[in-house]
Coordinates of all heavy atoms in Angstrom, one line a residue:
L118 N 4.6 -39.1 -14.6 CA 4.4 -40.0 -13.6 C 5.7 -40.6 -13.1 O 5.8 -40.8 -11.9 CB 3.6 -41.3 -14.2 CG 3.4 -42.4 -13.3 CD1 2.4 -42.0 -12.2 CD2 2.8 -43.7 -14.1
F119 N 6.7 -40.7 -13.9 CA 8.1 -41.2 -13.5 C 8.6 -40.3 -12.3 O 9.2 -40.8 -11.4 CB 9.0 -41.3 -14.6 CG 8.8 -42.5 -15.5 CD1 9.3 -42.6 -16.8 CD2 7.9 -43.6 -15.1 CE1 9.1 -43.6 -17.6 CE2 7.6 -44.6 -15.9 CZ 8.2 -44.7 -17.2
S120 N 8.4 -38.9 -12.6 CA 8.9 -38.0 -11.6 C 8.1 -38.1 -10.2 O 8.7 -37.9 -9.2 CB 8.9 -36.7 -12.1 OG 7.7 -36.2 -12.4
M121 N 6.9 -38.4 -10.4 CA 6.0 -38.6 -9.2 C 6.4 -39.9 -8.3 O 6.5 -39.9 -7.2 CB 4.5 -38.6 -9.5 CG 3.7 -38.7 -8.2 SD 1.9 -38.4 -8.7 CE 1.5 -40.2 -8.7
L122 N 6.7 -41.0 -9.2 CA 7.1 -42.2 -8.6 C 8.5 -42.1 -7.9 O 8.7 -42.7 -6.9 CB 7.2 -43.3 -9.6 CG 5.8 -43.8 -10.1 CD1 6.0 -44.8 -11.3 CD2 5.0 -44.4 -9.1
D123 N 9.3 -41.3 -8.5 CA 10.6 -41.0 -7.8 C 10.4 -40.3 -6.6 O 11.1 -40.6 -5.5 CB 11.4 -40.2 -8.8 CG 12.8 -40.0 -8.4 OD1 13.4 -41.0 -7.9 OD2 13.4 -38.9 -8.6
Y124 N 9.4 -39.4 -6.5 CA 9.1 -38.6 -5.3 C 8.6 -39.6 -4.2 O 8.9 -39.4 -3.1 CB 8.2 -37.5 -5.6 CG 7.8 -36.7 -4.4 CD1 8.5 -35.8 -3.8 CD2 6.4 -37.1 -3.9 CE1 8.1 -35.1 -2.6 CE2 6.0 -36.3 -2.7 CZ 6.8 -35.3 -2.1 OH 6.4 -34.7 -1.0
L125 N 7.8 -40.5 -4.7 CA 7.2 -41.5 -3.8 C 8.2 -42.6 -3.3 O 7.9 -43.4 -2.4 CB 6.0 -42.2 -4.4 CG 4.8 -41.3 -4.6 CD1 3.7 -42.1 -5.4 CD2 4.2 -40.8 -3.3
G126 N 9.3 -42.7 -3.9 CA 10.4 -43.6 -3.5 C 10.4 -44.9 -4.3 O 11.1 -45.8 -3.9
I127 N 9.6 -45.0 -5.4 CA 9.6 -46.2 -6.3 C 10.9 -46.0 -7.2 O 11.0 -45.1 -7.9 CB 8.4 -46.2 -7.1 CG1 7.2 -46.3 -6.3 CG2 8.4 -47.4 -8.0 CD1 6.9 -47.5 -5.3
E128 N 11.7 -47.1 -7.2 CA 12.9 -47.0 -8.0 C 12.5 -46.9 -9.5 O 11.6 -47.4 -9.9 CB 13.7 -48.3 -7.9 CG 14.2 -48.5 -6.5 CD 13.3 -49.5 -5.6 OE1 12.1 -49.5 -6.0 OE2 13.8 -50.1 -4.7
K129 N 13.5 -46.2 -10.2 CA 13.2 -45.8 -11.6 C 13.0 -47.2 -12.5 O 12.4 -47.1 -13.4 CB 14.4 -45.0 -12.0 CG 14.0 -43.9 -12.8 CD 15.2 -43.1 -13.2 CE 14.7 -41.6 -13.3 NZ 15.4 -40.6 -13.3
G130 N 13.8 -48.2 -12.1 CA 13.7 -49.4 -13.0 C 12.5 -50.2 -12.8 O 12.3 -51.2 -13.5
R131 N 11.5 -49.8 -11.9 CA 10.3 -50.5 -11.7 C 9.3 -50.2 -12.8 O 8.2 -51.0 -12.9 CB 9.7 -50.4 -10.3 CG 10.7 -50.9 -9.3 CD 9.9 -51.1 -8.0 NE 10.9 -51.7 -7.1 CZ 11.1 -52.9 -6.8 NH1 10.5 -53.8 -7.6 NH2 12.0 -53.3 -5.9
T132 N 9.5 -49.2 -13.6 CA 8.5 -48.9 -14.6 C 9.2 -48.6 -15.8 O 10.4 -48.2 -15.8 CB 7.7 -47.6 -14.2 OG1 8.7 -46.5 -13.9 CG2 6.8 -47.7 -13.1
R133 N 8.5 -48.8 -16.9 CA 9.3 -48.7 -18.3 C 8.2 -48.5 -19.4 O 7.1 -48.9 -19.2 CB 10.0 -50.0 -18.7 CG 10.9 -49.8 -19.8 CD 11.5 -51.1 -20.2 NE 12.6 -51.7 -19.4 CZ 13.2 -52.7 -19.7 NH1 13.1 -53.4 -20.8 NH2 14.2 -53.1 -18.9
V134 N 8.6 -47.8 -20.3 CA 7.7 -47.6 -21.6 C 8.6 -48.2 -22.7 O 9.8 -47.8 -22.8 CB 7.5 -46.0 -21.8 CG1 6.7 -45.8 -23.1 CG2 6.7 -45.4 -20.6
E135 N 7.9 -48.9 -23.5 CA 8.5 -49.5 -24.6 C 7.5 -49.5 -25.9 O 6.3 -49.5 -25.8 CB 8.8 -51.0 -24.4 CG 10.0 -51.3 -23.5 CD 11.3 -51.0 -24.0 OE1 11.5 -50.9 -25.3 OE2 12.3 -50.9 -23.3
W136 N 8.2 -49.3 -27.1 CA 7.4 -49.2 -28.3 C 7.7 -50.5 -29.0 O 8.7 -50.9 -29.2 CB 7.7 -48.0 -29.1 CG 7.8 -46.8 -28.3 CD1 8.9 -45.9 -28.1 CD2 6.7 -46.1 -27.6 NE1 8.6 -44.8 -27.4 CE2 7.3 -44.9 -27.0 CE3 5.4 -46.4 -27.4 CZ2 6.5 -44.1 -26.2 CZ3 4.7 -45.5 -26.7 CH2 5.2 -44.3 -26.1
C137 N 6.5 -51.2 -29.3 CA 6.7 -52.5 -30.0 C 5.5 -52.7 -31.0 O 4.4 -52.6 -30.6 CB 6.7 -53.7 -28.9 SG 6.8 -55.3 -29.5
S138 N 5.8 -53.0 -32.2 CA 4.8 -53.2 -33.2 C 4.2 -54.6 -33.2 O 4.8 -55.5 -32.6 CB 5.3 -52.8 -34.6 OG 6.0 -53.8 -35.2
A139 N 3.1 -54.7 -34.0 CA 2.5 -56.1 -34.1 C 3.4 -57.1 -34.8 O 3.1 -58.3 -34.5 CB 1.2 -55.9 -34.9
A140 N 4.3 -56.6 -35.5 CA 5.2 -57.6 -36.3 C 6.4 -58.0 -35.4 O 7.3 -58.7 -36.0 CB 5.6 -57.0 -37.6
E141 N 6.6 -57.4 -34.2 CA 7.8 -57.7 -33.4 C 7.5 -58.5 -32.3 O 7.7 -58.2 -31.1 CB 8.3 -56.2 -33.0 CG 8.8 -55.4 -34.1 CD 9.2 -54.0 -33.6 OE1 8.6 -53.4 -32.7 OE2 10.2 -53.5 -34.0
G142 N 7.2 -59.8 -32.6 CA 6.9 -60.8 -31.6 C 8.3 -61.1 -30.7 O 8.3 -61.2 -29.5
V143 N 9.3 -61.2 -31.5 CA 10.7 -61.6 -30.9 C 11.0 -60.4 -29.9 O 11.6 -60.6 -28.8 CB 11.7 -61.8 -32.0 CG1 13.1 -62.1 -31.4 CG2 11.3 -63.1 -32.9
R144 N 10.9 -59.2 -30.4 CA 11.2 -58.0 -29.7 C 10.4 -58.0 -28.4 O 10.9 -57.7 -27.3 CB 11.0 -56.7 -30.5 CG 11.3 -55.5 -29.7 CD 11.3 -54.2 -30.7 NE 11.0 -53.0 -30.0 CZ 11.9 -52.4 -29.1 NH1 12.9 -53.0 -28.8 NH2 11.5 -51.2 -28.5

Side-chain angles (χ1 to χ4, degrees):
L118 178 68
F119 289 161
S120 63
M121 187 174 97
L122 289 173
D123 187 40
Y124 176 76
L125 293 172
I127 302 291
E128 297 96 336
K129 230 175 206 162
R131 293 199 181 274
T132 51
R133 189 189 288 186
V134 176
E135 289 285 346
W136 312 118
C137 181
S138 77
E141 295 178 315
V143 173
R144 177 170 157 68

